[in-house]
């Protein structure tokens, strides 16, 4: 402990002082003692089990494979090793960060961490990545990997933009698919290839690829491994109502064109419909054989914001919507519940669908003290029961047919 360390160094100092040495040497020893104590205390603060900072690991070797961020810099991931009986278990978590739909938007991203590894700093690990065994008992000591999001297109792309009118404009690289493969290859060599238990998770824009690559992830690991996937607030749906769909058509149309989705997405889907329609999770999940669990609000606040407009956010959150707005919200809920996997096979398709007006939960709402509940079952327990085959949970909040106010503002993890 700190007190014991302090006691030892003080005794050392007293012993040296008693010796016939110069005052200069005494001062040097005292300074070393103080710096050592400060360093130890800083390390103790950094190892807070609830939230701790992790440095990025840059995958320089990925560049030769064409796996690069929007600006051409190498991709990156954040890694915290497991320990104890969790040392052979892994969570690989695909980050979110919305999408860029046009060249101007994507070029703007290259100025920050969502488009360049040159801009990436430390990432706070918390929630499902917490090391607190009382708040995260099932996963606290697992190996944890968070794949940095710098491609702007949900890890699906393999294309390039070259400005034909301006030689000075830097080319944009849309290589999300190659980023996923390259990072996974490196993490497999770190020990993932020998995992006993493994989860491919994804939040927000990272949720869709958690379904898309779920089978590939499963096939990369030993057949005896328990491998399942977790989708956190990334199941955005296609509305037949053109008023509700208008912003999503524009958004996914732009993403599909820039990222070359017609070439990279499964032919089982693109042979039946336009590539942008294959960006909706409902249209690709049926081809995924590996079990996955969906955790999302029926009134996800990014879904409502992107569908109904930014200006409606506060009105919805405060429950002050007009009759027409409330009717749209009920329609959105109905379409969403009809689009998610049905409950007839919860072993392969588990769900936890709440009604709070919020977005993403793995980083911000996983601790028991802030976790949401349905039928007296918290989301972390529901998922862990399902993952470990203890009980196959399929939970939907059927009581609240309108949004419940977001009582816990997410300030540490953005979409």
């Amino acid at each position: 402990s700190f007190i014991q360390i302090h006691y030892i160094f003080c005794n050392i100092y007293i012993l040296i002082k008693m010796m016939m040495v110069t005052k200069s040497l005494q001062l040097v020893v005292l300074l070393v003692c103080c710096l050592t104590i400060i360093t130890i205390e800083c390390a103790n603060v950094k190892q807070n089990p609830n939230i701790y900072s992790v440095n990025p690991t840059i995958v320089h070797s990925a560049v030769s494979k064409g796996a690069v961020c929007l600006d051409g810099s190498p991709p990156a991931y954040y890694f915290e090793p497991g320990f104890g009986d969790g040392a052979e278990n892994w969570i690989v978590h695909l980050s979110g960060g919305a999408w860029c739909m046009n060249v101007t938007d994507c070029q703007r991203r290259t100025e920050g961490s969502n488009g360049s590894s040159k801009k990436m700093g430390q990432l706070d690990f918390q929630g499902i990545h917490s090391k607190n065994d009382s708040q995260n008992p099932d996963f606290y000591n697992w190996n944890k990997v968070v794949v940095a999001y710098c491609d702007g297109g949900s890890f699906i792309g393999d294309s390039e933009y070259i400005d034909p009118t301006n030689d000075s404009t830097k080319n944009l690289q849309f290589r999300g698919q190659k980023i996923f493969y390259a990072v996974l290859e490196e993490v497999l060599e770190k020990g993932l290839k020998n995992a006993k238990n493994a989860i491919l998770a994804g939040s927000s824009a990272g949720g869709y690829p958690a379904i898309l690559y779920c089978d590939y992830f499963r096939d990369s690991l030993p057949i005896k491994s328990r491998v399942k996937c977790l989708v956190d607030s990334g199941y955005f749906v296609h509305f037949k109502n053109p008023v509700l769909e208008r912003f999503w058509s524009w958004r996914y149309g732009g993403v599909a064109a820039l990222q070359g989705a017609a070439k990279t997405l499964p032919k089982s889907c693109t042979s039946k419909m336009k590539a942008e329609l294959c960006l909706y999770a409902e249209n690709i999940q049926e081809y995924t054989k590996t079990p996955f669990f969906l955790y999302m609000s029926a009134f996800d606040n990014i879904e409502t914001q992107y569908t109904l407009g930014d200006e409606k956010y506060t009105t919805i959150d405060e429950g002050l919507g007009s009759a027409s707005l409330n009717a749209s919200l009920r329609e959105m809920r109905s379409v969403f519940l009809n689009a998610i996997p049905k409950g007839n096979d919860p072993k392969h398709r588990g769900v936890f669908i709440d009604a709070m007006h919020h977005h993403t939960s793995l980083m911000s709402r996983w601790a028991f003290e802030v976790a949401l509940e349905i039928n007296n079952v918290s989301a972390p327990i529901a998922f862990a029961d399902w993952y470990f085959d203890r009980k196959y949970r399929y939970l939907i909040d059927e009581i609240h047919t309108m949004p419940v106010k977001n009582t816990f503002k997410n300030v540490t993890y953005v979409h």
Side-chain angles (χ1 to χ4, degrees), residues 96-112:
W99 311 272
C100 55
M101 288 74 66
N102 54 61
V103 170
T104 301
D105 189 16
C106 293
Q107 286 177 334
R108 190 179 300 117
R109 281 191 174 227
T110 63
E111 301 171 5

Side-chain angles (χ1 to χ4, degrees), residues 103-235:
V103 170
T104 301
D105 189 16
C106 293
Q107 286 177 334
R108 190 179 300 117
R109 281 191 174 227
T110 63
E111 301 171 5
S113 60
N114 273 353
S116 174
S117 62
K118 298 175 184 178
K119 309 293 184 180
M120 293 178 188
Q122 291 185 327
L123 178 67
D124 286 341
F125 273 31
Q126 56 188 311
I128 199 170
H129 304 307
S130 164
K131 295 180 185 177
N132 188 333
D133 59 349
S134 65
Q135 293 294 318
N136 185 32
D138 290 291
F139 309 107
Y140 75 98
N141 60 355
W142 284 34
N143 294 279
K144 295 143 185 142
V145 176
V146 175
V147 185
Y149 183 59
C150 64
D151 63 285
S154 289
F155 298 95
I156 67 163
D158 188 10
S159 65
E160 179 182 30
Y161 171 79
I162 301 174
D163 191 336
T165 63
N166 189 349
D167 292 337
S168 64
T169 301
K170 192 168 184 178
N171 299 343
L172 287 171
Q173 301 292 328
F174 302 102
R175 309 293 182 182
Q177 186 180 75
K178 288 185 174 180
I179 289 175
F180 173 79
Y181 291 145
V183 172
L184 182 62
E185 181 180 349
E186 177 156 313
V187 175
L188 284 166
E189 291 306 310
K190 279 185 176 287
L192 174 61
K193 65 182 179 181
N194 300 315
K196 288 185 177 179
N197 297 289
I199 297 168
L200 177 64
S203 294
S204 193
Y208 170 84
I211 300 175
L212 180 67
Y213 298 121
C214 191
D215 286 344
Y216 184 90
F217 185 75
R218 159 69 274 183
D219 293 342
S220 300
L221 299 176
I223 189 65
K224 63 181 179 180
S225 304
R226 177 189 281 114
V227 181
K228 300 181 183 182
C229 300
L230 173 57
V231 182
D232 172 29
S233 304
Y235 202 101

Side-chain angles (χ1 to χ4, degrees), residues 255-366:
V255 171
L258 287 174
Q259 301 287 339
K263 179 180 67 174
T264 61
L265 293 181
K267 292 294 184 289
S268 54
C269 184
T270 57
S271 63
K272 298 178 181 178
M273 59 187 72
K274 294 180 179 179
E276 54 262 38
L277 294 178
C278 294
L279 288 173
Y280 295 95
E282 65 195 278
N283 291 330
I284 59 121
Q285 66 88 17
E286 63 184 287
Y287 305 110
T288 302
K289 298 177 182 178
T290 306
F292 72 80
F293 189 94
L294 172 60
Y295 179 12
M296 190 166 177
S297 171
F299 300 103
D300 181 275
N301 64 21
I302 294 301
E303 178 82 76
T304 61
Q305 181 181 352
Y306 285 179
T307 304
L308 301 173
D310 295 352
E311 70 280 1
K312 300 291 197 309
Y313 183 95
T314 302
T315 301
I316 296 170
D317 203 40
E318 298 294 336
L320 302 175
S322 63
S324 60
L325 177 59
N326 291 341
S328 293
L329 289 168
R330 292 190 187 94
E331 181 180 350
M332 290 173 63
R333 177 180 184 272
S334 176
V335 172
F336 173 75
L337 293 181
N338 284 329
I340 65 174
K342 302 298 182 280
N344 58 328
D345 187 15
K347 180 178 180 178
H348 289 90
R349 297 289 188 265
V351 306
F352 185 97
I353 308 298
D354 65 84
M356 185 172 285
H357 193 227
H358 75 101
H359 182 63
T360 71
S361 300
L362 296 190
M363 288 284 205
S364 61
R365 293 183 181 272
W366 200 257

Side-chain angles (χ1 to χ4, degrees), residues 53-99:
S53 298
V54 179
N55 289 314
T57 298
I58 308 298
V59 190
H60 295 286
S61 60
V63 176
S64 63
K65 302 171 186 176
V68 292
C69 298
L70 286 169
D71 70 336
S73 61
Y77 63 94
Y78 297 83
F79 173 60
E80 183 68 16
F83 56 93
D85 61 5
E88 295 181 285
N89 301 330
W90 291 74
I91 299 176
V92 177
H93 188 172
L94 303 177
S95 296
W99 311 272

